[in-house]
Amino acid sequence: MNRLVSWWDAHQIALYLVAIAVGAAIGLAAPGIAPLLEHSIEPVLMLLLFATFLAVPLIEVGQAFRDRRFLGAVLVANFAIVPLLAWALSRFVADDQGLLLGVLLVLLTPCIDYVIVFTGLAGGARAKLLAAAPLLMLLQLLLLPLYLFVFAGREVVGVIDVAPFAKAFLLLIVVPLAAAAAVQALARRHRSGRAIEGAMAGAMVPLMMLTLATVIGSQIAAVGSQIGTLARLLPLYTGFVVGAVLIGVAASRVTRLDTVSTRAVMFSVATRNSLVVLPLALALPDALAIAPLAVVTQTLVELIAMVVLVRLVPAIVPSRLIVP
């Protein structure tokens, strides 16, 4: 078993690409399975995050929360600089209110869940991002209506339901984090807790593959049905990733962060809260039915980008780098 775990750890990037391809193939070949896969996203993601949180000693989270320079870089980059980039990119679809709203919903909300996984894979400070998650969630909940009012107009604010944000925070952060804390406490006293820790650590790669395949498989057919319209978004979302990475590097240099913190900021800025805002988009009126597909398109672009960034970010910010 140890040999198998070592093998998939060494080949995880290739395996993630295979998982994306398998998910796409299943979703296109059997579009009727999409609703089942869509309902599976939350439990699969909860399991992945439980494994991720379990690998982070909770004492590190407490220490990370006191890192004001890191928190400052993450919050300023995500809520002061990124909104300007999101606004500029959204101008290219300002003629279509559904596309405009979908783009703004997803680009204005920083990720709080699987960004922690990808950050860890790239050698970034995942404990610091975990500590920042409650602040990121609270601020996007408070600021999203304001940004939508300014960027899209008053009429769109009234159709946004914030309940999915609270549900996502409970299911994707509170529940898996509490479960991980309980297992860590058990591991200090009993062998069974240590066994669970070992099993979940070994299962990280398969769980990430399952998450990628589930998300892609659940949404690829719907995106394909509107590919002509949604193709307009591909260069925008690609451009966002490039711009966000540069913003992350710049914010980290200004605040003089170390290598692992810089990598974490880069991932936080580049990764969006698509799985949380998707229910918001699905609750919009039928006249804006393209908005959730705009959100899903960003998810597809982002997942591929994250697999690339897991290898690219350590090259951009190597371990030997000392931020001046």
Side-chain angles (χ1 to χ4, degrees):
M1 186 63 186
N2 288 339
R3 183 177 299 178
L4 179 61
V5 171
S6 298
W7 180 84
W8 63 48
D9 282 345
H11 298 86
Q12 57 188 275
I13 302 302
L15 291 172
Y16 296 155
L17 292 173
V18 169
I20 290 173
V22 169
I26 292 174
L28 292 172
I33 202 175
L36 175 61
L37 292 176
E38 188 170 328
H39 285 99
S40 301
I41 291 175
E42 276 187 347
V44 168
L45 194 55
M46 288 174 68
L47 192 58
L48 173 66
L49 290 169
F50 167 65
T52 302
F53 298 161
L54 194 57
V56 180
L58 294 185
I59 188 173
E60 292 185 17
V61 176
Q63 293 170 349
F65 194 76
R66 294 191 292 270
D67 190 339
R68 295 183 179 180
R69 284 192 299 163
F70 175 80
L71 289 176
V74 167
L75 297 180
V76 170
N78 274 302
F79 297 111
I81 304 175
V82 165
L84 299 177
L85 175 61
W87 175 83
L89 293 173
S90 71
R91 296 308 91 192
F92 291 97
V93 292
D95 59 302
D96 187 316
Q97 192 174 39
L99 290 180
L100 174 65
L101 188 52
V103 167
L104 290 174
L105 274 174
V106 72
L107 294 189
L108 290 171
T109 50
C111 186
I112 60 160
D113 39 62
Y114 61 55
V115 62
I116 299 166
V117 181
F118 285 113
T119 299
L121 292 174
R126 59 184 179 181
K128 293 185 178 183
L129 275 189
L130 178 56
L135 283 176
L136 290 171
M137 194 70 183
L138 177 62
L139 284 175
Q140 64 188 269
L141 180 63
L142 295 175
L143 293 176
L144 181 61
L146 173 62
Y147 286 134
L148 291 177
F149 176 82
V150 174
F151 296 162
R154 178 181 307 187
E155 64 276 7
V156 303
V157 178
V159 299
I160 300 295
D161 179 11
V162 299
F165 276 85
K167 178 185 176 185
F169 183 71
L170 176 65
L171 294 181
L172 301 181
I173 296 295
V174 176
V175 172
L177 184 58
V183 171
Q184 286 184 7
L186 179 65
R188 290 193 290 268
R189 296 187 296 270
H190 299 285
R191 183 181 302 175
S192 58
R194 293 189 291 274
I196 295 173
E197 286 183 331
M200 296 309 295
M204 280 292 296
V205 172
L207 286 173
M208 177 60 82
M209 292 176 66
L210 181 60
T211 301
L212 293 173
T214 301
V215 172
I216 298 292
S218 69
Q219 306 298 331
I220 191 69
V223 170
S225 67
Q226 296 285 342
I227 190 62
T229 301
L230 296 171
R232 298 176 59 187
L233 304 178
L234 298 180
L236 303 186
Y237 290 147
T238 304
F240 176 84
V241 173
V242 175
V245 167
L246 296 176
I247 289 170
V249 172
S252 299
R253 288 187 177 276
V254 169
T255 49
R256 301 172 61 85
L257 298 181
D258 59 21
T259 295
V260 294
S261 297
T262 298
R263 293 176 182 176
V265 172
M266 292 167 70
F267 273 94
S268 177
V269 179
T271 313
R272 303 289 90 189
N273 222 6
S274 56
L275 298 181
V276 174
V277 300
L278 182 57
L280 297 180
L282 290 170
L284 293 171
D286 291 342
L288 301 174
I290 195 69
L293 295 183
V295 172
V296 170
T297 302
Q298 191 276 337
T299 306
L300 301 180
V301 172
E302 179 176 272
L303 289 176
I304 295 172
M306 288 302 105
V307 172
V308 174
L309 288 179
V310 164
R311 283 292 178 87
L312 187 61
V313 165
I316 296 174
V317 188
S319 298
R320 65 180 180 276
L321 176 67
I322 300 177
V323 178

